[in-house]
Amino acid sequence: MRLITKKSEIKEILEKCFVKYNQNGLNILVTEIHLTILSNKVKFPILEYCAEIIYKTLPENQHILFCDKIQRLKTEGGNVLLGIILQKRLNCDFKQSIEKATEYIADANIWYVCDIIGERVFGYSLLNEPKKTIPEIKRLSNHKTNWVIRSLGAGTHYAIKKGLKKEDVAIMFEILLSMANTQDKEIRQGVGWASKTTAKFHPDLIELYKENIQNKEQVANWFRTKIDIGLNRNSYAKRN
C-alpha cells in the first residue's frame, strides 16, 4: 500500500486517471481512482484537494453519477471525495446536494461515513448558509436512519467550531435538546458531540437553557454529562 502525502503526487496520479477517462469514459475513471488513490493511504487534506480537481475537471452533468459509483465502493477515502464534491455543488443545486448526502449516509455501514460527509456537507452548509440549512437539519432530525441523525451532530460540531453565529447556535441547540432523551448509541454520539462543543464555545447558552437541560424526564443523563465536559473544557481554556 502506497502512502500519498503530497498534492503534487495526487495531481500527477489524477492526470493519468483523466487520460484514461478521456479515452474510455467514467467507469474507467472510477476504477483508476479506486486502484491508484482510494486503495492507498492518503491523508484527508490531500483527498480534499483531489476532490476539488475532480469537481473542476469532470463535466457538471457527471458529478452525481461519479459520486454514486464512488459511494458503491464503500472506501473510507471515497467519503471525503463525496463530501467535497457535494459541498462544491451546494451553490448550484442545494437540494440535490443535501438529498445525496442524506442518501449516502443512510446507506452507511460504519460510523465514519456519517462524520466525514456530515461535516463536509451539513456542517459546511450550516456555517455558510444557516437560514437555508437549519430547516433541513430540523427535518432530518426525524430521519428513520440513526446514521443520518448522527451526521447532523457531526455537522453541527463542525459549524460551531468554525464560528457559527450565536443566534444560530441557539436554534441548533434547541434541535439537539429535542433529541436529548434518545438511547440510540449512534444518535447519542453525534448529538453529544455537538452539545459538548456548544458548551465549550457558548457556555452562556447552557446557562440560558439550564432549566431545560435539568429536566430529567426530557433529557437523559448522558446529555448532561456531555454538557459538563464541554463546560470544563471552556474553563480549562480560559485558565490557559
Side-chain angles (χ1 to χ4, degrees), residues 23-194:
Q23 294 170 343
N24 298 293
L26 189 63
N27 285 336
I28 292 300
L29 176 66
V30 172
T31 298
E32 288 300 311
I33 287 174
H34 185 213
L35 290 174
T36 60
I37 297 172
L38 299 178
S39 296
N40 289 304
K41 288 188 71 175
V42 190
K43 293 184 176 180
F44 279 14
I46 305 298
L47 284 171
E48 290 181 336
Y49 174 70
C50 175
E52 290 172 9
I53 295 175
I54 294 168
Y55 174 80
K56 290 174 184 175
T57 309
L58 262 185
E60 187 179 322
N61 63 4
Q62 294 200 359
H63 287 162
I64 296 300
L65 187 55
F66 173 82
C67 287
D68 286 344
K69 291 176 182 294
I70 290 293
Q71 188 268 340
R72 290 188 200 111
L73 297 173
K74 301 288 187 185
T75 62
E76 183 176 2
N79 295 297
V80 179
L81 303 187
L82 300 176
I84 294 299
I85 292 171
L86 292 178
Q87 179 189 110
K88 296 286 184 186
R89 289 180 57 81
L90 283 164
N91 286 334
C92 64
D93 199 330
F94 176 83
K95 185 175 176 59
Q96 187 186 48
S97 292
I98 296 294
E99 286 178 351
K100 274 292 172 181
T102 305
E103 176 188 323
Y104 297 152
I105 293 166
D107 193 48
N109 57 6
I110 194 165
W111 63 268
Y112 57 64
V113 178
C114 318
D115 298 358
I116 293 171
I117 300 177
E119 286 194 13
R120 286 163 180 78
V121 182
F122 300 141
Y124 180 90
S125 186
L126 176 59
L127 179 64
N128 292 281
E129 293 281 357
K131 284 184 171 55
K132 286 174 71 174
T133 310
I134 288 173
E136 294 296 323
I137 290 179
K138 188 168 185 178
R139 176 179 65 84
L140 291 171
S141 70
N142 294 306
H143 198 276
K144 63 183 180 180
T145 307
N146 60 355
W147 294 123
V148 173
I149 303 173
R150 171 178 173 139
S151 73
L152 303 177
T156 304
H157 156 79
Y158 171 90
I160 295 171
K161 183 178 71 173
K162 294 292 184 179
L164 183 66
K165 290 180 180 177
K166 184 180 287 188
E167 56 265 34
D168 296 317
V169 177
I171 298 170
M172 288 307 308
F173 190 67
E174 290 181 4
I175 296 174
L176 296 173
L177 273 169
S178 73
M179 299 182 280
N181 208 26
T182 183
Q183 294 304 316
D184 184 285
K185 175 180 172 289
E186 300 305 332
I187 298 175
R188 284 171 55 177
Q189 193 75 27
V191 170
W193 193 13

